[in-house]
């Protein structure tokens, strides 16, 4: 594999990276098929669809149709969109039950408003954070994607996007554009303490704010689970910080809470948070 040891999105645009050789792996590699199917199952679980009721779903970055096959097995109808012709050819060769469409999600989702009861995406959204040509603006492409996704979802529907953020800054960029487009929701992290099993799911709500699901974990009961939530409500940071003494306890607590809202890792508050230390000579 040419990009072994590196993130795939660093090797070039997805339509070139996912060529015929890469598409063949998604058809023949049993381990890859198993991982893709499990993530699709978890994404569908986080959608919280009505039980026993077939729904019309969108699969963004559908690839060879592995996640779509799981949706079909669960009794749902689906449409997939992907930028790679080779991956879509593989999906057609496999006779997937859903309809597939060639398209760039960074240019928007080309469907009528309110078309879908939900959306899933497996390992696709982080590709929008990279500029593969001078005209690409990651923030604008993300906003175009999220704003069009918000439009094509029925009000109250959810979107669950599994992704591999490169760092906290990239995750903040993605969640900020989703919130700007009108979504509420948060990030659910499964198995946060595992190097291999750790998975990020961005759970987006297109209607009134609802509960944020808990992430899966091998930890014992009572241990802290990892989720971060965000809303469209504006928080008057400057007004809240007026009168605060820089580096005082209140100032430190406010800053830590702000970083938690941004989805960043922050140490828990203790009695020593913001404590003034004696000078050393």
């Amino acid at each position: 594999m040419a990009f072994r040891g590196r993130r795939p999105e660093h090797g070039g645009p997805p339509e070139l990276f996912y060529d015929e050789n890469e598409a063949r792996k998604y058809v023949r590699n049993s381990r890859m098929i198993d991982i893709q199917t499990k993530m699709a199952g978890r994404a569908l679980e986080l959608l919280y669809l009505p039980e026993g009721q077939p729904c019309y779903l969108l699969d963004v970055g559908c690839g060879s149709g592995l996640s779509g096959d799981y949706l079909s097995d669960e009794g749902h109808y689906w449409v997939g969109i992907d930028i790679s012709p080779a991956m879509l050819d593989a999906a057609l060769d496999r006779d997937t039950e859903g309809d597939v469409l060639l398209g760039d999600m960074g240019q928007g989702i080309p469907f009528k408003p309110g078309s879908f009861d939900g959306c899933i995406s497996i390992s696709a959204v982080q590709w929008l954070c990279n500029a593969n040509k001078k005209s690409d603006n990651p923030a604008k492409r993300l906003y175009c994607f999220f704003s069009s996704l918000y439009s094509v979802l029925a009000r109250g529907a959810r979107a669950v996007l599994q992704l591999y953020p490169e760092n906290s800054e990239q995750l903040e960029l993605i969640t900020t554009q989703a919130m700007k487009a009108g979504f509420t929701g948060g990030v659910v992290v499964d198995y946060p303490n595992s190097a291999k099993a750790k998975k990020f799911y961005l759970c987006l709500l297109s209607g009134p704010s609802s509960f944020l699901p808990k992430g899966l974990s091998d930890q014992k009961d009572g241990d802290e689970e990892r989720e971060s939530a965000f809303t469209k409500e504006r928080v008057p940071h400057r007004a809240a910080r007026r009168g605060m003494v820089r580096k005082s306890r209140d100032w430190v607590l406010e800053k830590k809470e702000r970083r938690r809202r941004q989805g960043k890792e922050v140490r828990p508050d203790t009695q020593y948070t913001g404590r003034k230390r004696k000078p050393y000579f």
Side-chain angles (χ1 to χ4, degrees):
M1 183 174 175
F3 304 106
R4 192 172 186 178
R6 298 171 55 190
R7 293 179 65 90
E9 57 268 26
H10 291 173
E15 62 270 27
L16 297 182
F17 177 82
Y18 289 104
D19 55 12
E20 294 181 1
N21 292 330
E22 199 68 22
R24 197 175 299 118
K25 297 177 184 178
Y26 281 82
V27 177
R28 300 179 181 178
N29 190 313
S30 59
R31 179 178 176 275
M32 192 172 291
I33 293 174
D34 182 62
I35 293 174
Q36 193 84 359
T37 302
K38 287 181 178 179
M39 290 191 294
R42 176 60 171 157
L44 182 60
E45 177 186 340
L46 292 171
L47 281 181
Y48 286 92
L49 298 173
E51 293 186 10
Q53 178 179 330
C55 295
Y56 192 47
L57 305 176
L58 174 66
D59 184 1
V60 177
C62 63
S64 60
L66 294 177
S67 51
D69 285 347
Y70 185 88
L71 299 179
S72 297
D73 291 342
E74 293 297 314
H76 301 293
Y77 304 98
W78 62 277
V79 173
I81 182 172
D82 200 281
I83 197 173
S84 168
M87 294 293 274
L88 293 180
D89 286 341
L92 295 175
D93 290 341
R94 296 176 59 252
D95 293 328
T96 55
E97 296 185 18
D99 297 320
V100 294
L101 170 70
L102 180 65
D104 179 4
M105 61 180 174
Q107 295 181 358
I109 308 298
F111 292 97
K112 293 182 179 180
S115 297
F116 298 99
D117 301 314
C119 169
I120 69 168
S121 178
I122 307 299
S123 310
V125 178
Q126 70 270 6
W127 284 89
L128 294 179
C129 297
N130 293 272
N132 295 306
K133 49 188 177 181
K134 291 184 179 180
S135 59
D136 284 351
N137 184 313
K140 289 184 178 180
R141 284 171 58 78
L142 281 165
Y143 178 74
C144 182
F145 164 63
F146 283 121
S147 59
S148 60
L149 178 61
Y150 187 90
S151 174
V152 302
L153 290 177
R155 291 289 75 85
R158 291 177 176 236
V160 178
L161 316 177
Q162 185 275 329
L163 68 159
Y164 292 104
E166 186 171 3
N167 48 48
S168 60
E169 289 75 15
Q170 190 177 93
L171 184 60
E172 181 181 355
L173 172 64
I174 294 172
T175 55
T176 297
Q177 296 307 315
M179 182 169 51
K180 186 178 178 182
F183 284 107
T184 59
V187 179
V188 174
V189 185
D190 284 352
Y191 307 108
N193 297 320
S194 172
K196 292 184 178 181
K198 185 176 182 178
K199 295 292 184 294
F200 291 82
Y201 293 88
L202 180 59
C203 300
L204 302 176
L205 316 174
S206 63
S209 297
S210 183
F211 71 97
L212 185 64
K214 295 289 186 180
L216 301 180
S217 176
D218 289 329
Q219 296 177 347
K220 298 179 181 179
D221 294 339
D223 288 348
E224 184 180 0
E225 305 229 7
R226 290 277 308 284
E227 302 88 26
S228 59
F230 56 88
T231 69
K232 291 184 290 185
E233 299 178 1
R234 296 185 63 86
V235 180
H237 299 308
R238 293 185 178 179
R241 296 174 68 181
R242 286 174 186 166
M244 290 186 182
V245 178
R246 184 177 175 82
K247 296 188 177 180
S248 64
R249 178 177 173 82
D250 291 339
W251 186 89
V252 172
L253 290 174
E254 192 278 335
K255 183 177 180 180
K256 292 177 69 175
E257 182 61 29
R258 178 154 38 94
R259 291 178 69 85
R260 289 192 185 100
R261 288 195 296 266
Q262 294 172 347
K264 297 181 179 179
E265 293 186 15
V266 181
R267 292 183 179 181
D269 299 333
T270 69
Q271 58 179 330
Y272 303 108
T273 300
R275 184 185 64 169
K276 291 185 178 180
R277 301 180 183 275
K278 295 181 180 180
Y280 289 93
F281 295 98

